[in-house]
């Protein structure tokens, strides 16, 4: 699921970009602007964005607030976050872990505006030889290194009393994952849908661990630049309005919903049945009330503590990070994990609450 934090040397670049952008900002408040760019990549939980653009939902809400919102596909997930971090986009679809380890760790204050879903089976470990996590001892395992797949593997090994020292990780691009699994040299892969469905379909393969066993930990979001959001609150209102109107279409039990799901499936390279199978492995928050409840839960704080611990242990919070507290993570109600003086990732439920209250 998503390319995660496998940005291969990006940490130093993102830190430099963060410093440069801070210096360029000069501490002054930017003028409100009228045109905004949002980047997305193909994944079941993010297909509502291109659908909303094609269906006129983006334009409807942008027009309501007198702004223009451009929703642009980027073919490479990591590159989309890199471009956001460099200031090329005002917002980007990304996981909770990647928001922490790329823009936030790079000094770009980032707000998670919409919590859309969490993986509930869309990420998994598939093997030709192992049947349980304990069987992975001594195995070579192909995955996108330093990604949410890497995180999933670490959590699976923990359940068997193992650690990464007990396996050999083979860094493999998502684009090469299916081909790698088909080769006799590869026995085990960790990946996400739709690639996960492809490798599970290979003869002799077995799924031995998936994200249903760590519910709520791999979270799919829309995150935006905090300064841009603060200077342009109408952007936040429009994006939340777009999202939940599109969720309503997606979840509609009749022909409207079927057509929406078929369209999203087509946009992501599958059909209605394939898309609905991926949806079944996704815990969506189709209403703002559900999204707000999750964002305000104590479980989210516990999850982000796990994520920041993994990130620090793997050097993803910056080469100079003394401990996992280096980057502050803010939650609704004023709770902060880590440095309150260096908050760079913010879970903000306030805009989703406007949707819940019918106040958009």
């Amino acid at each position: 699921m998503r390319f995660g934090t496998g940005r291969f040397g990006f940490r130093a670049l993102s830190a430099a970009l963060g410093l440069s952008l801070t210096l360029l900002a000069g501490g002054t408040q930017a003028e409100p602007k009228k045109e905004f760019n949002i980047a997305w990549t193909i994944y079941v939980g993010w297909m509502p964005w291109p659908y909303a653009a094609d269906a006129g939902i983006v334009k409807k809400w942008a027009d309501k607030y007198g702004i223009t919102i451009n929703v642009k596909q980027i073919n490479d997930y990591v590159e989309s976050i890199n471009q956001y971090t460099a200031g090329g986009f005002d917002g980007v679809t990304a996981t909770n872990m990647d928001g922490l380890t790329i823009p936030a760790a790079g000094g770009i204050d980032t707000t998670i505006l919409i919590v859309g879903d969490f993986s509930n089976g869309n990420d998994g470990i598939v093997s030709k030889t192992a049947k349980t996590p304990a069987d992975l001892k001594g195995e070579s395992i192909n995955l996108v290194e330093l990604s949410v797949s890497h995180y999933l593997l670490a959590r699976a090994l923990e359940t068997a009393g193992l650690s990464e020292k007990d396996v050999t990780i083979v860094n493999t691009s998502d684009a090469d994952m299916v081909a790698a699994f088909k080769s006799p040299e590869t026995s085990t892969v960790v990946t996400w849908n739709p690639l996960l469905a492809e490798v599970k379909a290979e003869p002799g393969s077995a799924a031995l661990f998936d994200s249903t066993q760590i519910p709520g930990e791999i979270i799919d979001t829309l995150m935006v630049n905090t300064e841009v959001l603060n200077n342009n609150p109408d952007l936040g209102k429009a994006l939340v309005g777009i999202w939940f109107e599109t969720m309503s279409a997606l979840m509609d039990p009749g022909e409207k919903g079927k057509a929406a799901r078929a369209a999203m499936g087509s946009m992501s390279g599958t059909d209605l049945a394939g898309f609905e199978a991926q949806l079944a492995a996704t815990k969506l928050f189709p209403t703002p009330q559900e999204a707000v409840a999750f964002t305000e839960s104590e479980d989210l704080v516990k999850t982000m503590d796990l994520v920041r611990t993994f990130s620090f242990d793997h050097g993803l919070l910056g080469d100079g990070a003394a401990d996992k507290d280096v980057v502050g993570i803010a939650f609704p109600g004023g709770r902060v994990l880590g440095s309150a003086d260096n908050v760079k990732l913010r879970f903000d439920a306030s805009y989703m609450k406007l949707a819940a209250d019918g106040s958009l």
Side-chain angles (χ1 to χ4, degrees):
M1 181 174 106
R2 287 76 68 223
F3 298 41
T5 48
R7 57 216 184 276
F8 316 111
F10 180 77
R11 288 192 302 276
L13 172 61
S14 63
L17 285 168
L19 177 60
S20 298
L21 291 172
T22 300
L23 291 173
L24 285 170
T28 60
Q29 185 168 343
E31 288 293 320
K33 59 181 188 174
K34 292 295 184 181
E35 186 167 359
F36 304 90
N37 297 303
I38 305 296
W40 67 276
T41 48
I42 289 178
Y43 174 68
V44 59
W46 295 325
M47 297 317 296
W49 290 108
Y51 172 82
D54 279 10
I57 299 171
V58 170
K59 185 177 187 306
K60 169 189 168 181
W61 282 91
D63 286 351
K64 177 176 180 176
Y65 290 101
I67 59 177
T68 298
I69 299 174
N70 303 309
V71 177
K72 182 178 179 181
Q73 180 184 2
I74 304 296
N75 290 326
D76 183 308
Y77 172 70
V78 173
E79 180 60 21
S80 72
I81 306 178
N82 291 355
Q83 288 187 31
Y84 160 76
T85 302
F89 287 92
D90 301 296
V92 64
T93 55
T95 68
N96 53 324
M97 178 172 155
D98 301 327
L100 173 64
T101 61
I102 304 183
I108 305 303
D109 197 322
T110 294
T111 294
I112 292 179
L113 181 73
I114 298 169
V115 172
D117 69 82
F118 64 74
S119 175
N120 198 33
N122 269 320
D123 298 77
I125 304 173
V126 179
S127 181
K128 302 170 187 173
T129 53
K131 302 299 182 186
T132 69
D135 297 335
L136 293 174
K137 187 171 184 177
E139 290 276 326
S140 292
I141 301 172
N142 294 62
L143 52 75
V144 179
E145 195 172 14
L146 306 179
S147 72
V148 288
S149 293
H150 198 155
Y151 176 81
L152 182 75
L153 173 65
R155 297 285 280 127
L157 293 171
E158 285 175 15
T159 67
L162 301 175
S163 73
E164 290 175 53
K165 294 178 182 178
D166 295 306
V167 301
T168 299
I169 291 173
V170 181
N171 188 32
T172 306
S173 165
D174 68 299
D176 300 326
M177 197 67 68
V178 174
F181 191 65
K182 290 181 178 180
S183 74
E185 293 80 17
T186 302
S187 63
T188 303
V189 299
V190 189
T191 189
W192 55 84
N193 272 324
L195 307 177
L196 180 62
E198 291 189 57
V199 296
K200 283 167 68 174
E202 285 295 305
S205 68
L208 57 94
F209 191 90
D210 65 33
S211 52
T212 61
Q213 290 156 276
I214 54 166
E217 294 186 25
I218 300 175
I219 307 166
D220 302 308
T221 79
L222 178 74
M223 51 190 67
V224 297
N225 182 286
T226 300
E227 182 180 9
V228 171
L229 179 64
N230 289 345
N231 289 332
N232 303 275
D234 284 349
L235 172 65
K237 295 174 185 177
L239 289 170
V240 167
I242 292 163
W243 180 256
F244 288 110
E245 180 172 335
T246 309
M247 281 292 100
S248 179
L250 172 67
M251 301 302 291
D252 184 274
E255 288 302 312
K256 179 182 177 181
K258 184 177 179 180
R261 294 188 295 276
M264 293 182 203
S266 177
M267 290 173 182
S268 61
T270 187
D271 57 13
L272 176 61
F275 189 74
E276 290 185 336
Q278 292 177 44
L279 277 178
T282 308
K283 170 52 182 173
L284 289 170
F285 301 115
T287 69
Q289 290 84 357
E290 291 172 90
V292 167
F294 180 82
T295 305
E296 293 184 337
S297 70
E298 181 64 24
D299 286 344
L300 178 60
V301 180
K302 294 176 182 177
T303 289
M304 291 309 298
D305 194 33
L306 287 169
V307 168
R308 73 187 186 126
T309 300
F310 172 89
S311 301
F312 174 72
D313 289 346
H314 290 79
L316 301 179
L317 298 182
D319 295 332
D323 54 41
K324 65 182 181 181
D325 288 331
V326 63
V327 178
I329 307 169
F331 300 88
R335 178 80 175 271
V336 175
L337 277 181
S339 174
D341 296 325
N342 189 41
V343 173
K344 295 298 180 185
L345 188 67
R346 306 169 191 271
F347 286 86
D348 184 353
S350 63
Y351 289 87
M352 295 186 290
K353 279 186 172 180
L354 292 177
D357 295 340
S359 301
L360 291 176

